Amino acid sequence: MFLTKEEEKLLERGDGVSKCMEILVALGEIFGAERLIPIKHAHISGVSYQNIGDEGLEWLKNLNVNFAVKTTINPAGMDLERWSEMGIDESFAKKQIELLNVFKEMGAELTLTCTPYYIQKPSIGEHLAWAESSAVIYANSVLGARTNRESGISALASAVIGKTPYYGLHIKENRAPNILVKVECDCDPAILGYKMGSEIEGIPIFKFNRMLSDDELKALGASLASTGNIAMFHVVEQTPEWNHFDIPREKVSVDKADLKFECNPDLIALGCPHMSKSEILDVYRIVEKMGGKVKTEFWVFTSRYVYDSMKDVVNRLEKRGIKVFKDTCMVVSPATERFECVMTNSGKALTYLPKLRGVTVMYGSLEECVKKAFE
Ligand code: F3S
């Protein structure tokens, strides 16, 4: 990979910056990148203390670097204010806060959300280095920004250097679809993505018989990225680059997508990815039609940004017994482990909750989940 004189100097410093350069150079060489390109924004995942542990915390502290570009971070293992209510113990909370302080000292914005695009939307063609598969697929597909599916470490290295290797989805030709998926049912996008993620590879282009909302595109992408290694999709007549390429000859048709998960939920959890304002309003509208308080533990996850901008609605939901948490989520927080069966509307949560939190799962649409909580 070609390096400028300045980039070569960074490699020779023998400090944390050099380590970050080494990571980017190794990545670039593996994927055949010809050079590094500047990025506008890095997003780092894997910031739960449970994920990083003491060794990772020490490694980060010793790295002794600062971020060169706007850097945001994914959800942590707890709500920074309501951790005790979530059932998180004090020793975990202390370590989590210590870890977040290390990120803050490096210059990260403590956004603690997997939906950084609600806080600041990247523009079309903007180069990013984002980890967090659901955010990557949303940025590429719905926003037309450009990022590969980074790991937490490579996103951190890019945040420090302000650059990323130029390969994969940063290059226009590599963003072409390779398979057309004709959707002939009015399938739930989260379930459709869950199913198709494991059946197709590359970059699908979907043809639906109706327009999908941004929330539906988010759910479709998060599911596709969780059951498959997919980092981008197009939707005919809808996503920004759908007509930049030829429609592929290879095609599949889908006439149904359903899921058979059954258990008796002791937790209903929404907000994977973190809820948008419109999704919270959807929950609120259904709650308003139901009488009294919820009868099953009901958690909603969103970003601090969305939470702060809808305090009135949040307070009304809380009065009905729904807990609206921020800074964390059902998958990255160990708090979910004390439950047995989690009902959710998220294909990504269906994929990861059993693996990471050891719970069984059940699927319901947003409306079904809310109604179930009042039964
Ligand atoms: Fe976000 Fe957690 Fe789901 S990070 S996409 S809410 S697993």
Side-chain angles (χ1 to χ4, degrees):
M1 186 167 69
F2 169 78
L3 294 180
T4 63
K5 288 223 169 72
E6 292 78 50
E7 288 164 354
E8 269 173 6
K9 274 190 203 146
L10 297 181
L11 263 182
E12 288 152 12
R13 283 168 45 156
D15 58 4
V17 172
S18 297
K19 282 195 190 120
C20 292
M21 266 303 280
E22 281 167 19
I23 292 168
L24 297 186
V25 170
L27 198 61
E29 282 177 353
I30 290 168
F31 288 100
E34 60 191 40
R35 62 191 163 99
L36 295 174
I37 52 162
I39 54 158
K40 285 268 175 68
H41 176 180
H43 181 76
I44 300 171
S45 67
V47 308
S48 166
Y49 170 65
Q50 208 188 36
N51 202 32
I52 289 188
D54 285 329
E55 260 180 51
L57 179 55
E58 280 313 303
W59 185 84
L60 275 175
K61 279 189 192 163
N62 293 333
L63 199 58
N64 199 18
V65 288
N66 291 312
F67 297 139
V69 289
K70 175 185 175 69
T71 301
T72 51
I73 58 176
N74 230 29
M78 60 187 208
D79 185 309
L80 294 194
E81 276 133 30
R82 297 172 71 183
W83 50 268
S84 143
E85 208 180 316
M86 291 183 81
I88 297 287
D89 66 53
E90 202 176 338
S91 60
F92 182 96
K94 275 193 183 148
K95 288 285 189 179
Q96 181 68 75
I97 288 166
E98 187 184 346
L99 178 54
L100 294 180
N101 283 336
V102 174
F103 278 112
K104 195 172 170 188
E105 277 164 26
M106 290 176 171
E109 296 170 28
L110 298 193
T111 48
L112 301 173
T113 181
C114 48
T115 55
Y117 42 83
Y118 291 149
I119 304 172
Q120 188 179 320
K121 193 160 109 178
S123 47
I124 291 187
E126 192 169 301
H127 293 284
L128 316 167
W130 282 12
E132 173 47 48
S133 64
S134 71
V136 166
I137 197 167
Y138 192 89
N140 280 317
S141 317
V142 183
L143 305 177
R146 297 186 181 190
T147 175
N148 287 317
R149 196 165 154 164
E150 302 293 345
S151 66
I153 293 280
S154 65
L156 182 140
S158 282
V160 171
I161 305 297
K163 294 180 180 174
T164 192
Y166 187 54
Y167 73 95
L169 294 174
H170 289 286
I171 300 171
K172 170 126 189 169
E173 302 83 80
N174 296 339
R175 299 168 68 84
N178 60 312
I179 182 163
L180 171 67
V181 182
K182 285 186 86 178
V183 184
E184 283 157 0
C185 50
D186 191 13
C187 301
D188 182 321
I191 303 181
L192 178 72
Y194 183 91
K195 178 179 146 79
M196 298 313 293
S198 59
E199 291 182 10
I200 54 178
E201 280 177 5
I203 302 179
I205 177 162
F206 290 91
K207 189 168 191 316
F208 290 95
N209 45 25
R210 66 177 177 89
M211 295 291 273
L212 265 57
S213 68
D214 282 357
D215 292 329
E216 287 176 315
L217 292 171
K218 178 176 77 167
L220 171 69
S223 291
L224 277 172
S226 70
T227 53
N229 194 24
I230 297 176
M232 181 170 187
F233 62 91
H234 301 274
V235 177
V236 171
E237 303 281 359
Q238 216 176 335
T239 51
E241 292 166 75
W242 81 271
N243 56 358
H244 291 197
F245 309 97
D246 292 338
I247 299 284
R249 280 205 207 119
E250 190 185 346
K251 62 178 168 197
V252 287
S253 296
V254 184
D255 56 13
K256 78 170 180 326
D258 46 22
L259 283 179
K260 301 253 175 301
F261 289 118
E262 281 304 330
C263 58
N264 192 13
D266 51 353
L267 173 67
I268 294 167
L270 300 177
C272 172
H274 273 172
M275 286 200 136
S276 63
K277 292 180 195 175
S278 59
E279 287 172 308
I280 292 189
L281 284 174
D282 288 344
V283 172
Y284 177 68
R285 276 190 282 269
I286 303 163
V287 166
E288 278 295 276
K289 288 188 201 143
M290 313 297 293
K293 287 191 161 196
V294 290
K295 298 195 175 74
T296 307
E297 190 76 7
F298 190 172
W299 292 359
V300 166
F301 295 92
T302 190
S303 62
R304 186 172 279 268
Y305 167 79
V306 168
Y307 183 99
D308 286 344
S309 65
M310 321 186 62
K311 279 221 172 105
D312 190 38
V313 178
V314 166
N315 289 340
R316 288 178 200 205
L317 291 175
E318 292 273 347
K319 280 194 186 127
R320 306 292 292 278
I322 298 167
K323 294 181 181 129
V324 183
F325 292 124
K326 55 203 175 311
D327 315 322
T328 185
C329 83
M330 64 188 92
V331 172
V332 300
S333 175
T336 317
E337 287 168 12
R338 69 173 189 273
F339 298 94
E340 280 183 9
C341 164
V342 181
M343 184 179 187
T344 181
N345 67 338
S346 159
K348 177 165 180 178
L350 292 178
T351 309
Y352 288 108
L353 278 173
K355 286 184 204 164
L356 299 180
R357 301 280 76 94
V359 295
T360 51
V361 284
M362 172 178 174
Y363 181 80
S365 65
L366 183 143
E367 182 167 2
E368 286 164 346
C369 285
V370 178
K371 287 184 170 164
K372 185 82 180 171
F374 285 88
E375 277 177 11

Short mmCIF file of all heavy atoms in Angstrom, two decimals, residues 74-75 113-115 132 134 222 271-274 301 328-332 346 348-349 352, ligand 1:
data_model
loop_
_atom_site.label_atom_id
_atom_site.label_comp_id
_atom_site.label_asym_id
_atom_site.label_seq_id
_atom_site.Cartn_x
_atom_site.Cartn_y
_atom_site.Cartn_z
N ASN A 74 -20.60 3.42 20.56
CA ASN A 74 -21.80 2.58 20.62
C ASN A 74 -22.33 2.48 22.06
O ASN A 74 -21.69 2.95 22.99
CB ASN A 74 -21.39 1.17 20.11
CG ASN A 74 -22.31 0.64 19.06
OD1 ASN A 74 -22.93 1.40 18.32
ND2 ASN A 74 -22.44 -0.67 19.00
N PRO A 75 -23.48 1.83 22.26
CA PRO A 75 -24.02 1.66 23.62
C PRO A 75 -23.05 0.93 24.55
O PRO A 75 -22.30 0.05 24.13
CB PRO A 75 -25.27 0.82 23.38
CG PRO A 75 -25.69 1.12 22.00
CD PRO A 75 -24.42 1.33 21.24
N THR A 113 -24.70 5.28 21.45
CA THR A 113 -25.83 4.82 20.63
C THR A 113 -25.33 4.17 19.35
O THR A 113 -24.26 4.52 18.84
CB THR A 113 -26.79 5.97 20.29
OG1 THR A 113 -27.88 5.44 19.53
CG2 THR A 113 -26.13 7.09 19.51
N CYS A 114 -26.16 3.24 18.86
CA CYS A 114 -25.86 2.60 17.57
C CYS A 114 -26.55 3.36 16.43
O CYS A 114 -26.54 2.91 15.30
CB CYS A 114 -26.30 1.15 17.59
SG CYS A 114 -27.98 0.94 18.23
N THR A 115 -27.18 4.49 16.76
CA THR A 115 -27.84 5.30 15.73
C THR A 115 -27.21 6.71 15.70
O THR A 115 -27.91 7.71 15.86
CB THR A 115 -29.36 5.41 15.99
OG1 THR A 115 -29.55 5.92 17.33
CG2 THR A 115 -30.05 4.08 15.86
N GLU A 132 -20.12 -1.35 14.15
CA GLU A 132 -21.55 -1.49 14.43
C GLU A 132 -22.29 -1.76 13.12
O GLU A 132 -22.60 -0.85 12.35
CB GLU A 132 -22.13 -0.27 15.17
CG GLU A 132 -23.66 -0.28 15.35
CD GLU A 132 -24.17 -1.62 15.86
OE1 GLU A 132 -23.59 -2.15 16.83
OE2 GLU A 132 -25.13 -2.16 15.29
N SER A 134 -25.25 -2.54 12.21
CA SER A 134 -26.56 -1.94 11.86
C SER A 134 -26.39 -0.50 11.39
O SER A 134 -27.13 -0.02 10.53
CB SER A 134 -27.52 -1.99 13.06
OG SER A 134 -27.11 -1.08 14.06
N ALA A 222 -30.59 -3.89 9.78
CA ALA A 222 -30.02 -4.46 11.01
C ALA A 222 -30.16 -5.98 10.99
O ALA A 222 -29.25 -6.71 11.39
CB ALA A 222 -30.72 -3.87 12.23
N GLY A 271 -36.14 -1.53 20.67
CA GLY A 271 -35.07 -0.54 20.53
C GLY A 271 -33.74 -1.15 20.14
O GLY A 271 -32.70 -0.74 20.64
N CYS A 272 -33.78 -2.12 19.23
CA CYS A 272 -32.54 -2.68 18.66
C CYS A 272 -32.71 -2.67 17.15
O CYS A 272 -33.46 -3.48 16.64
CB CYS A 272 -32.29 -4.10 19.16
SG CYS A 272 -30.91 -4.93 18.33
N PRO A 273 -32.07 -1.74 16.42
CA PRO A 273 -31.26 -0.61 16.88
C PRO A 273 -32.07 0.39 17.72
O PRO A 273 -33.30 0.34 17.74
CB PRO A 273 -30.81 0.05 15.57
CG PRO A 273 -30.94 -1.01 14.52
CD PRO A 273 -32.08 -1.87 14.96
N HIS A 274 -31.36 1.29 18.39
CA HIS A 274 -31.99 2.29 19.24
C HIS A 274 -33.17 2.97 18.53
O HIS A 274 -33.09 3.29 17.35
CB HIS A 274 -30.97 3.36 19.62
CG HIS A 274 -30.17 3.00 20.84
ND1 HIS A 274 -29.10 3.74 21.27
CD2 HIS A 274 -30.32 1.99 21.75
CE1 HIS A 274 -28.62 3.20 22.38
NE2 HIS A 274 -29.33 2.13 22.68
N PHE A 301 -35.23 0.94 24.49
CA PHE A 301 -33.87 1.51 24.44
C PHE A 301 -33.77 2.56 23.33
O PHE A 301 -34.24 2.35 22.21
CB PHE A 301 -32.85 0.40 24.17
CG PHE A 301 -32.77 -0.59 25.29
CD1 PHE A 301 -33.55 -1.75 25.27
CD2 PHE A 301 -31.95 -0.36 26.38
CE1 PHE A 301 -33.50 -2.66 26.31
CE2 PHE A 301 -31.90 -1.27 27.43
CZ PHE A 301 -32.67 -2.43 27.41
N THR A 328 -27.47 2.30 26.52
CA THR A 328 -27.20 0.87 26.53
C THR A 328 -28.24 0.15 25.68
O THR A 328 -29.08 0.79 25.04
CB THR A 328 -27.22 0.35 27.98
OG1 THR A 328 -26.84 -1.03 27.99
CG2 THR A 328 -28.59 0.50 28.64
N CYS A 329 -28.19 -1.17 25.66
CA CYS A 329 -29.23 -1.91 24.95
C CYS A 329 -29.39 -3.31 25.51
O CYS A 329 -28.57 -3.77 26.30
CB CYS A 329 -28.94 -1.95 23.45
SG CYS A 329 -27.80 -3.24 22.95
N MET A 330 -30.44 -3.98 25.07
CA MET A 330 -30.80 -5.31 25.58
C MET A 330 -29.72 -6.36 25.29
O MET A 330 -29.60 -7.34 26.00
CB MET A 330 -32.13 -5.75 24.97
CG MET A 330 -32.05 -5.92 23.47
SD MET A 330 -33.65 -6.21 22.70
CE MET A 330 -34.17 -4.55 22.29
N VAL A 331 -28.93 -6.12 24.23
CA VAL A 331 -27.94 -7.13 23.82
C VAL A 331 -26.59 -6.89 24.52
O VAL A 331 -25.96 -7.83 25.00
CB VAL A 331 -27.75 -7.13 22.28
CG1 VAL A 331 -26.60 -8.02 21.86
CG2 VAL A 331 -29.04 -7.57 21.60
N VAL A 332 -26.14 -5.65 24.58
CA VAL A 332 -24.80 -5.42 25.16
C VAL A 332 -24.82 -5.34 26.68
O VAL A 332 -23.78 -5.44 27.32
CB VAL A 332 -24.09 -4.16 24.58
CG1 VAL A 332 -23.89 -4.29 23.09
CG2 VAL A 332 -24.82 -2.88 24.92
N SER A 346 -37.00 -7.11 16.96
CA SER A 346 -35.74 -6.90 16.25
C SER A 346 -35.11 -8.21 15.78
O SER A 346 -34.84 -9.11 16.58
CB SER A 346 -34.77 -6.19 17.21
OG SER A 346 -33.44 -6.38 16.79
N LYS A 348 -32.08 -8.42 14.75
CA LYS A 348 -30.72 -8.45 15.29
C LYS A 348 -30.73 -9.00 16.71
O LYS A 348 -29.90 -9.81 17.08
CB LYS A 348 -30.10 -7.05 15.25
CG LYS A 348 -28.72 -7.07 15.85
CD LYS A 348 -27.90 -5.84 15.54
CE LYS A 348 -26.52 -5.99 16.20
NZ LYS A 348 -25.63 -4.88 15.92
N ALA A 349 -31.71 -8.56 17.51
CA ALA A 349 -31.80 -9.05 18.89
C ALA A 349 -32.11 -10.55 18.91
O ALA A 349 -31.58 -11.30 19.74
CB ALA A 349 -32.84 -8.27 19.67
N TYR A 352 -28.72 -12.22 18.36
CA TYR A 352 -27.65 -12.12 19.37
C TYR A 352 -28.07 -12.39 20.81
O TYR A 352 -27.23 -12.76 21.63
CB TYR A 352 -26.99 -10.73 19.29
CG TYR A 352 -26.13 -10.60 18.05
CD1 TYR A 352 -26.51 -9.82 16.97
CD2 TYR A 352 -24.93 -11.32 17.96
CE1 TYR A 352 -25.73 -9.72 15.83
CE2 TYR A 352 -24.15 -11.23 16.82
CZ TYR A 352 -24.55 -10.43 15.76
OH TYR A 352 -23.77 -10.35 14.64
FE1 F3S B 1 -27.84 -1.33 18.73
FE2 F3S B 1 -27.53 -2.99 20.70
FE3 F3S B 1 -29.04 -3.65 18.70
S1 F3S B 1 -25.98 -1.77 19.82
S2 F3S B 1 -28.23 -2.60 16.97
S3 F3S B 1 -29.41 -1.96 20.12
S4 F3S B 1 -27.55 -4.93 19.65
#
